[in-house]
C-alpha cells in the first residue's frame, strides 16, 4: 500500500508549561486538499513546523511520504514546498531576483523561475521591486517560491489571509489547478467558506485539540439539528424555530393568518458547527 502523503499520530507539543498541541492525529491522502481549520493561536502553524521538520515534537509521530519528519534529507525536502506569511521577501529585489536566490539553492534553472511567475500571474511584474507589490502580489510571490521547485506536497499557511475576495479567489483557482495536477495541498485557514470551497477533508482544531474531522459535507450533516426555519412576519419582525416535524403546524398557522411574508431555511455550516463545539468563532 502506498504511504500517505502526510500522517500524524498523537502529536504533542508544549512550550514551557503551555501545551500547544495535545494528541493530534490524522492522515492526508495524496492528491487532496486537506484543511486544518481553527482560529488564530489554535496551533496550526506549530503543527506545520513539526510536520516539515522545522520544530521538534514532545511526543507522537509525524511523517511525510512515509518518512519521519525529523529525519528528512535535503533531497526529501525538495518534494514539498512551504508558504508561510513570516517567510521573508527581499524588499530591494524585484520578483525575479527574489526567486533567483532560492533557485540557486535548489538548482532550479531560469525557465523554472519564469514558469513559476507565470503560474501565479506575476510574469509581467518580474522586474517590479518587491517593495512596490500589493499584499495580494506578495502572496503570489510566496506561492511562486513554492511552485518553483515543483513539489509533490504544498504546505500553505493562511495563504489568503487579509486579501480582498477577488484576489483570494484567484489564489483559490491556482490551488485547485495544482490539485488537478495531482499535487497534495495542506492548507491552514480560519476562513469557513474557503475550507468548504476547497477541501476534501478537514480537521477542526481548538486550543491544540481536534474537535471534529471529516469532509465539510459530512461534518455539516452530523449537525443537522442546527437547521432552522426563519420567517419574516408582516409586522416587520423575524422569528425562527427548529426545522423538524413540529414545524409544519407553526408554519401553516402563520401562512393561514397572513402573518408570514418570507420563509427561509438556514443550514449548518462549518462556522456554526465550530461555534457549537467551542463557543468561539473561527474568524478570530
Amino acid at each position: 500500500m502506498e504511504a500517505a502523503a502526510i500522517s500524524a499520530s498523537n502529536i504533542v507539543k508544549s512550550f514551557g508549561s503551555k501545551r500547544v498541541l495535545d494528541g493530534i492525529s490524522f492522515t492526508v491522502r495524496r492528491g487532496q486538499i486537506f484543511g486544518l481549520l481553527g482560529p488564530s493561536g489554535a496551533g496550526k502553524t506549530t503543527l506545520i513546523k513539526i510536520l516539515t521538520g522545522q520544530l521538534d515534537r514532545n511526543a507522537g509521530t509525524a511523517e511525510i511520504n512515509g518518512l519521519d519528519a525529523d529525519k528528512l534529507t535535503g533531497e526529501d525536502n525538495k518534494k514539498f514546498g512551504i508558504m508561510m506569511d513570516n517567510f521573508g521577501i527581499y524588499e530591494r529585489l524585484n520578483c525575479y531576483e527574489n526567486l533567483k536566490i532560492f533557485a540557486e539553492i535548489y538548482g532550479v534553472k531560469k525557465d523554472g523561475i519564469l514558469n513559476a511567475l507565470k503560474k501565479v500571474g506575476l510574469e509581467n511584474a518580474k522586474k517590479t521591486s518587491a517593495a512596490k507589490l500589493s499584499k495580494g502580489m506578495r502572496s503570489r510571490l510566496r506561492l511562486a517560491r513554492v511552485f518553483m521547485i515543483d513539489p509533490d506536497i504544498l504546505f500553505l499557511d493562511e495563504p489568503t489571509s487579509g486579501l480582498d475576495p477577488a484576489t483570494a479567489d484567484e489564489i483559490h483557482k491556482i490551488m485547485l489547478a495544482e490539485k488537478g495536477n495531482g499535487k497534495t495541498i495542506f492548507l491552514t485557514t480560519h476562513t469557513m467558506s474557503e475550507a468548504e470551497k476547497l477541501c476534501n477533508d478537514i480537521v477542526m482544531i481548538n486550543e491544540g485539540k481536534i474537535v471534529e474531522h471529516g469532509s465539510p459535507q459530512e461534518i455539516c450533516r452530523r449537525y443537522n439539528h442546527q437547521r432552522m426555519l426563519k420567517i419574516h412576519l408582516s409586522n416587520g419582525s423575524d422569528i425562527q424555530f427548529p426545522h423538524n416535524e413540529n414545524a409544519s403546524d407553526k408554519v401553516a398557522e402563520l401562512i393561514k393568518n397572513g402573518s408570514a411574508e418570507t420563509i427561509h431555511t438556514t443550514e449548518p455550516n462549518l462556522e456554526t458547527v465550530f461555534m457549537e463545539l467551542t463557543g468561539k468563532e473561527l474568524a478570530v
Side-chain angles (χ1 to χ4, degrees), residues 57-260:
R57 55 196 182 270
N58 298 120
T61 60
E63 296 182 347
I64 295 182
N65 291 323
L67 302 172
D68 190 318
D70 286 343
K71 299 176 181 178
L72 298 173
T73 67
E75 285 302 310
D76 296 328
N77 289 335
K78 291 180 181 179
K79 296 178 181 178
F80 63 87
I82 312 168
M83 175 193 173
M84 304 184 83
D85 192 50
N86 62 356
F87 279 11
I89 289 175
Y90 298 99
E91 301 291 331
R92 295 185 179 182
L93 302 182
N94 63 36
C95 292
Y96 182 88
E97 291 166 340
N98 262 276
L99 295 189
K100 186 180 178 182
I101 292 174
F102 297 94
E104 291 173 352
I105 296 172
Y106 284 97
V108 176
K109 297 180 180 179
K110 178 180 179 180
D111 285 349
I113 301 174
L114 296 175
N115 287 338
L117 288 170
K118 183 177 181 179
K119 182 174 285 189
V120 300
L122 289 179
E123 66 268 36
N124 294 326
K126 64 182 180 181
K127 294 184 179 181
T128 301
S129 168
K132 297 180 179 179
L133 298 177
S134 66
K135 185 174 178 62
M137 294 174 77
R138 294 169 76 88
S139 293
R140 289 170 184 258
L141 184 57
R142 290 190 178 96
L143 273 178
R145 200 163 91 184
V146 174
F147 294 149
M148 186 174 62
I149 62 173
D150 194 27
D152 298 326
I153 302 172
L154 289 70
F155 288 90
L156 306 181
D157 189 20
E158 303 277 3
T160 61
S161 178
L163 301 185
D164 64 86
T167 303
D169 188 60
E170 288 301 313
I171 289 179
H172 291 166
K173 290 176 182 177
I174 294 170
M175 292 168 60
L176 290 170
E178 287 300 294
K179 175 191 172 186
N181 290 328
K183 308 294 186 182
T184 303
I185 299 175
F186 186 100
L187 169 71
T188 73
T189 181
H190 62 257
T191 306
M192 172 270 295
S193 58
E194 184 168 75
E196 290 183 333
K197 176 180 178 180
L198 300 174
C199 296
N200 304 100
D201 198 18
I202 67 168
V203 158
M204 287 185 173
I205 186 172
N206 181 56
E207 297 181 353
K209 293 184 179 182
I210 292 176
V211 295
E212 258 299 1
H213 184 193
S215 74
Q217 297 78 18
E218 289 169 348
I219 290 174
C220 290
R221 282 197 296 269
R222 287 201 285 270
Y223 292 81
N224 205 40
H225 60 268
Q226 291 186 355
R227 294 179 71 212
M228 301 290 287
L229 278 173
K230 187 173 183 178
I231 301 177
H232 182 71
L233 302 178
S234 55
N235 64 8
S237 63
D238 294 311
I239 60 171
Q240 66 177 24
F241 42 82
H243 190 323
N244 55 33
E245 65 276 5
N246 299 320
S248 58
D249 290 341
K250 297 178 183 178
V251 173
E253 179 62 26
L254 289 170
I255 293 174
K256 184 178 180 180
N257 63 30
S259 299

Side-chain angles (χ1 to χ4, degrees), residues 18-86:
K18 181 176 176 58
R19 181 163 288 197
V20 179
L21 297 174
D22 191 1
I24 301 296
S25 300
F26 58 82
T27 298
V28 180
R29 302 188 307 275
R30 296 187 185 280
Q32 73 167 173
I33 299 179
F34 178 93
L36 184 64
L37 192 60
S40 299
K44 302 189 299 295
T45 300
T46 298
L47 184 55
I48 280 188
K49 290 182 176 180
I50 289 173
L51 292 172
T52 55
Q54 301 176 67
L55 190 64
D56 292 334
R57 55 196 182 270
N58 298 120
T61 60
E63 296 182 347
I64 295 182
N65 291 323
L67 302 172
D68 190 318
D70 286 343
K71 299 176 181 178
L72 298 173
T73 67
E75 285 302 310
D76 296 328
N77 289 335
K78 291 180 181 179
K79 296 178 181 178
F80 63 87
I82 312 168
M83 175 193 173
M84 304 184 83
D85 192 50
N86 62 356

